[in-house]
Amino acid sequence: MTQPSVQKKFGRLLLTGAGGGLGKVLRERAKPWTDILRLSDLRDVGPAGDGEEVMCCDLADNASMLELLQGVDAVLHFGGISVEDKFVPIMQANILGLHNLYEAAHKAGVKRVVYASSNHATGFYRTTDVIDADAPLRPDGFYGLSKCFGEALSRYYYDRFGIETVCVRIGSSFPEPKNARMMTTWLSYDDLTELVRCALFAPRVGHTIVFGTSDNDASWWDNRKAAHLGFRPKDSSRQFKHLFPDTAERPDDGDPATYYMGGPFVTAGPMY
Amino acid sequence: MTQPSVQKKFGRLLLTGAGGGLGKVLRERAKPWTDILRLSDLRDVGPAGDGEEVMCCDLADNASMLELLQGVDAVLHFGGISVEDKFVPIMQANILGLHNLYEAAHKAGVKRVVYASSNHATGFYRTTDVIDADAPLRPDGFYGLSKCFGEALSRYYYDRFGIETVCVRIGSSFPEPKNARMMTTWLSYDDLTELVRCALFAPRVGHTIVFGTSDNDASWWDNRKAAHLGFRPKDSSRQFKHLFPDTAERPDDGDPATYYMGGPFVTAGPMY
Amino acid sequence: MTQPSVQKKFGRLLLTGAGGGLGKVLRERAKPWTDILRLSDLRDVGPAGDGEEVMCCDLADNASMLELLQGVDAVLHFGGISVEDKFVPIMQANILGLHNLYEAAHKAGVKRVVYASSNHATGFYRTTDVIDADAPLRPDGFYGLSKCFGEALSRYYYDRFGIETVCVRIGSSFPEPKNARMMTTWLSYDDLTELVRCALFAPRVGHTIVFGTSDNDASWWDNRKAAHLGFRPKDSSRQFKHLFPDTAERPDDGDPATYYMGGPFVTAGPMY
Amino acid sequence: MTQPSVQKKFGRLLLTGAGGGLGKVLRERAKPWTDILRLSDLRDVGPAGDGEEVMCCDLADNASMLELLQGVDAVLHFGGISVEDKFVPIMQANILGLHNLYEAAHKAGVKRVVYASSNHATGFYRTTDVIDADAPLRPDGFYGLSKCFGEALSRYYYDRFGIETVCVRIGSSFPEPKNARMMTTWLSYDDLTELVRCALFAPRVGHTIVFGTSDNDASWWDNRKAAHLGFRPKDSSRQFKHLFPDTAERPDDGDPATYYMGGPFVTAGPMY
Amino acid sequence: MTQPSVQKKFGRLLLTGAGGGLGKVLRERAKPWTDILRLSDLRDVGPAGDGEEVMCCDLADNASMLELLQGVDAVLHFGGISVEDKFVPIMQANILGLHNLYEAAHKAGVKRVVYASSNHATGFYRTTDVIDADAPLRPDGFYGLSKCFGEALSRYYYDRFGIETVCVRIGSSFPEPKNARMMTTWLSYDDLTELVRCALFAPRVGHTIVFGTSDNDASWWDNRKAAHLGFRPKDSSRQFKHLFPDTAERPDDGDPATYYMGGPFVTAGPMY
Amino acid sequence: MTQPSVQKKFGRLLLTGAGGGLGKVLRERAKPWTDILRLSDLRDVGPAGDGEEVMCCDLADNASMLELLQGVDAVLHFGGISVEDKFVPIMQANILGLHNLYEAAHKAGVKRVVYASSNHATGFYRTTDVIDADAPLRPDGFYGLSKCFGEALSRYYYDRFGIETVCVRIGSSFPEPKNARMMTTWLSYDDLTELVRCALFAPRVGHTIVFGTSDNDASWWDNRKAAHLGFRPKDSSRQFKHLFPDTAERPDDGDPATYYMGGPFVTAGPMY
């Protein structure tokens, strides 16, 4: 994928969660967009490369977050916990952490955030529904619930302070679909990158919610309300159809994971 | 069109109306999906070929229907009357017949039906409207009315017994469009086959209504609510545009057939 | 209840189902609206009183129906089967019978029908939903299914021949609510009469669907789309609240009758 | 206001926030609904009266919450922080606290919660809008944000575990309106009590969101989607119209508090 | 009708069309709202009374309009042509005139206009429809068309300059209904006055469209989107029901005036 | 672009505004559709070529317009003022002129008009909104306001006299996008031509509103309700992406032109 050229880069772009799966992908691809890419994670992300700076810190630590956001022009927030977990750690990282991030962003004058939300914010819709960004929230666990919180919090910072956010409800972003469900939810790395680019550079985004999937044959999500972003996926899971051929064998009637968009997440939590 | 491979075929798939226009098309194309294709029709459908079995019977005959559904895993219901006719024969074939089919399916434990509904269930919408699956019913004759009944009946068997149905509101499925109206309503045989495949193999379909057309330039029907099926038409009537060139001559103002989606059906019935 | 006066009565009004529960109510109350009230039922309805004529006949008998509609100006169709039953008798009375009625009405030049539809046409919505007249049909049994058919058929006769129909989805019309569910679905006889009067005399009704309930505190049904009828219920089930006091004991989780609008109907059919 | 009689009371009803403004109101009025009213608050609520038991504890303390919910049949959750505050205390009381409450409720087998949500979950809509329960969330501060969280969390516990909740987005519940804005948002104590009664005793509520206001002349909130609850307010702020006579003097153009439903809350937070 | 008291009157309120039917009604009733009521009309409106000043001028005369708006705090615009007429005079009075009014209002710093729009802006909807303020415009003649223009123009002055307008789509405001259609469209003088009061004194109205009718039994218009105004009609045409008793005689099928909300207007124009 | 062939051309097609930017484009391309292309403009359009006739006249001159429409079969109305201007000239050309055109068309028996409306009829929506043809009008100036008028007027002539109109809300039709905003609003000349062809030759169009843009990546406009036209754009502004590379520099917060769809138009008028 050839990226469109950039006339005027960001001075400093912050990428949180730089050590995570998608963080690593974006670390490579975000460089054309910025003079300096500031990387952050709780995990070690290795040494800073050309045009990079590393500032590892804990989202739940308010003081560090204020420092982290200093001098930043825009944020790609991929940090926090990205799987189902117990409530308290999710609250620390994804609720308190998100508050700290936005509060620091507000103080630092940041005007644009791309927020890694998740399809699990609406994971309790049925796989026979088709929803859009205005469908009422139906989280499928504590992780999804923290993303509902994040979407509401970023809406508040937009309405109150004018910080623009694109909430990307990421489907399943991996090199290729890992199971039949991901034939519907897959987001290729190229399409992820393009979606983040659109979210970052669109002249005005206000507070936009967009579902992050490639142009897969089947879909549960209607992105019409985000058409102003200009995101046009170029990949499709149909190239992997041979990996998941049609089958007359259906999962057991009693298996909720096949009835709900969230798949196995819907029965994963709460865990004690 | 290369069909996706099948990992686990149906043991026995029932195709009703096997002697009709679309039945013949599906008889050929459904074989990769099933070990045994059971064929039924009132008409003679010729001898059973490889992987086929023939059980001709009358939909209105309840006892025969119970027998017909024995051992069946899923149904492609293309039987019954598919043109405008007097009320009583339509009632026998399409109303009593459909009841018999579902009642037998329920007793036989069948869990999935692909039901050949028709655009004539909503044929009294105007050709300047664009509707989706939730638009209130507006049948254009007794045939369309029997399809309204079928959609409601299959909804009931889903809500009450969990039998999943995809109602395919078929437009005009022929080798090529026969008149200007069919430039909008045409469904190629390949796209019909693909739509039936999606309806048959999608993991969960609940009770889904989908309009059956190819990717024609003009459309009256919005399939957004069936996006979970994964149906992506590959053909388009635009390849036949030369057969129906633009014309400044419009049908008479008094001709209802050009104002309503149902076309000539809207003035066909009732017939006595 | 004082009824509004009538400037110009109907010459002859047909009341079918005159021997049924609501038929008896309307037999008394419809007289101010018509010079002659023609009564019909399969059952004996007793001798014709002043301003009445009796023509008992079977809805499924086409020839008798043609005769029954002769000279009629408008129809109150309360005939047919009004409880859950086996499919064939319901089909004969409510499907074939309804066809016969409309076909005869069309031939006789009748321009207005008030059709006793039922809340069971949408009985499979949840008791926590609130729906309006455009909600897709969800019948809760064969009886409800026959009402779905009737609504579609009357729509057809309106679109095709201009016969206007008001489909009244009657809740529970009794002297008083018989159980807790009827606190929501109750329609007093006075309100029934007023609704029928509105449906009969409104200058234009096209094809209108209206839910028939009194002004009960709780409601599942939104009649906004029928506001042109001018129906304002004057009674409310709240006068009977003492009969069904609040209770902390809820029906068993496994009892579908309390989850669906149709109540006990949802598990009544099919019966064999 | 005469309350409807109760056939079968709850064995034990938990009222959290019993020492707060509305808690005190409900402490008096909830007694006819339950054999034992368990009271909880961080504050001292005085000695237990007849039919009361007192168990003061901190929502943020998980172990205490497990104990608090033991033996409880239903919950009126009016605890937590009910004004704008700094983020961390709100998170402790209204986010962690709510999680603890529902987790304990789930373990104790509680099946119904009435949750004191707030109009501040949607306080950033304009005062010239009219919204219903499905309008996307637009919190006007950290307090409102915690209520957004609570609505999503209770939805999850319903979808996952079947715990039913009515989220009451309380307007302004005081003896009388205190300012012009409250002419629109006022909820009398009688109407509050009636709404809680409906929410507690309605046979099925699933997950219902309802706006809590009296029958005031002006309204921003449409409760149509909660019509199944049967709540009919009997009071209206119009009796206090003389306290806030019409005025040609409008607040300054630059004052956001008059443009947004949340009123002064929209500029109250965040506070540091 | 007792009007609510006024704490702080307008200094100067302009009433255009003061010599017209509704202008005369408002001339009497608007006095409690303002220190000075400035009256304008092309017609003679008689001498100025107490608290009145008279400035008759032509809406189409830009210079006079600038003068007319000097010193004005708010406007009740009931001027212009209020019946169907030829296009050019309607254009002069209602299109050019309205432009002049708003342009002068803008220059004079006026912040609130109550604009007498008309149900004829949507008169070509059917009498069996029920519409709200967002239904696309369907004027029934040149008069209705000029009201469509006025609604769009006032929207522009709100979006561009912040001048707030309430567009009142007046039904039929007379001492009593004059024909059967007005049983649905009637607006009593008391309710007109109350609606104008709400529109004038509501703290914020932005650009609101409201249908002006009393609480008549039948209605074509849903005012939910204007609930923030606080208008609650107190009269109803039902008190005049005896003047228009039910009748079985319906207007001829070919009479469009009974099929469309606009009534006789739909066939009145264009006139040459 | 190869145009579809034409079976039966129009006898005489009128193109107004033939001397304007788009008029010149259509003058070349409309010839295959008609035996005679009648050209009109206030400006000199040069001598008539083959199959052309020239009748220059003023839209505001009623008598000339009656003459202009004589013998015409269909109209492409691209005349009038197409930029922001003072009110009176816009009123003369676009309001009085449009009235004259339709009145003359009605007298001449014309049955189809393609009307060059504009995106400025809805220019005051935000650039983060996505709207369709039924979104309430929000003009961004006097020019946009005149287009609102035109859409309402053409609706009236359809409802009243059956003259069909397609209102094309043209985005920005130039050889290539001239600024970043036009990446979203661009309509190539080929796509313009195709859209006009569809609007002219579709069998029935009633009164259709369609947004005129190419298949650009970003879009504010949803054409679903015009799917019956069969317009499928073939070009996209993405081929010009290199001219407007991504930039981290955003226009000033105070610049309304970047917040509203109308762009610089929103602050252009009114001009005096």
Side-chain angles (χ1 to χ4, degrees), chain E residues 55-204:
Chain E
M55 287 182 65
C56 285
C57 68
D58 185 350
L59 289 160
D61 174 354
N62 196 26
S64 305
M65 290 303 285
L66 288 169
E67 202 175 339
L68 181 65
L69 271 289
Q70 284 308 312
V72 164
D73 296 305
V75 179
L76 307 181
H77 182 52
F78 281 71
I81 294 177
S82 62
V83 291
E84 188 59 10
D85 202 339
K86 295 186 184 181
F87 185 75
V88 171
I90 282 182
M91 182 180 78
Q92 289 301 111
N94 294 9
I95 290 180
L96 178 57
L98 200 73
H99 162 267
N100 290 344
L101 178 83
Y102 271 86
E103 201 49 39
H106 169 48
K107 293 209 167 77
V110 172
K111 284 298 180 199
R112 177 77 54 96
V113 179
V114 180
Y115 169 55
S117 184
S118 166
N119 76 82
H120 295 289
T122 50
F124 250 122
Y125 280 93
R126 291 189 167 263
T127 52
T128 48
D129 290 332
V130 177
I131 62 173
D132 69 19
D134 285 346
L137 298 166
R138 294 202 184 170
D140 59 22
F142 294 152
Y143 168 63
L145 185 54
S146 74
K147 295 302 178 180
C148 294
F149 172 87
E151 294 189 357
L153 178 138
S154 53
R155 176 85 220 180
Y156 169 66
Y157 276 87
Y158 173 63
D159 284 336
R160 181 72 171 85
F161 300 112
I163 300 177
E164 293 190 306
T165 295
V166 175
C167 299
V168 184
R169 288 187 184 160
I170 297 169
S172 306
S173 198
F174 297 101
E176 61 181 50
K178 296 176 170 183
N179 54 44
R181 175 180 174 270
M182 290 192 191
M183 289 300 290
T184 301
T185 60
W186 189 61
L187 175 67
S188 75
Y189 288 162
D190 277 1
D191 284 339
L192 167 71
T193 307
E194 171 65 4
L195 177 44
V196 170
R197 185 191 66 79
C198 290
L200 201 54
F201 286 103
R204 302 284 177 203

Side-chain angles (χ1 to χ4, degrees), chain E residues 87-88 91-92 95-96 99 103 107 124 134 136-142 145 148-149 152-153 155-157 159-161 266-270 272, chain F residues 87-88 91-92 95-96 99 103 107 124 134 136-142 145 148-149 152-153 155-157 159-161 266-270 272:
Chain E
F87 185 75
V88 171
M91 182 180 78
Q92 289 301 111
I95 290 180
L96 178 57
H99 162 267
E103 201 49 39
K107 293 209 167 77
F124 250 122
D134 285 346
L137 298 166
R138 294 202 184 170
D140 59 22
F142 294 152
L145 185 54
C148 294
F149 172 87
L153 178 138
R155 176 85 220 180
Y156 169 66
Y157 276 87
D159 284 336
R160 181 72 171 85
F161 300 112
V266 305
T267 48
Y272 285 87
Chain F
F87 186 75
V88 171
M91 182 180 77
Q92 289 302 111
I95 290 180
L96 179 57
H99 163 266
E103 200 50 39
K107 294 209 166 81
F124 249 121
D134 285 346
L137 298 166
R138 295 202 183 169
D140 60 21
F142 294 153
L145 186 54
C148 294
F149 173 87
L153 178 138
R155 176 83 221 185
Y156 169 66
Y157 276 88
D159 284 335
R160 181 73 171 85
F161 300 112
V266 303
T267 48
Y272 284 89

Side-chain angles (χ1 to χ4, degrees), chain A residues 7 11 13 17 49 52 79 165 209 214 216 272:
Chain A
Q7 187 174 30
L13 187 62
E52 291 181 347
T165 295
I209 294 171
S214 288
N216 309 324
Y272 285 87

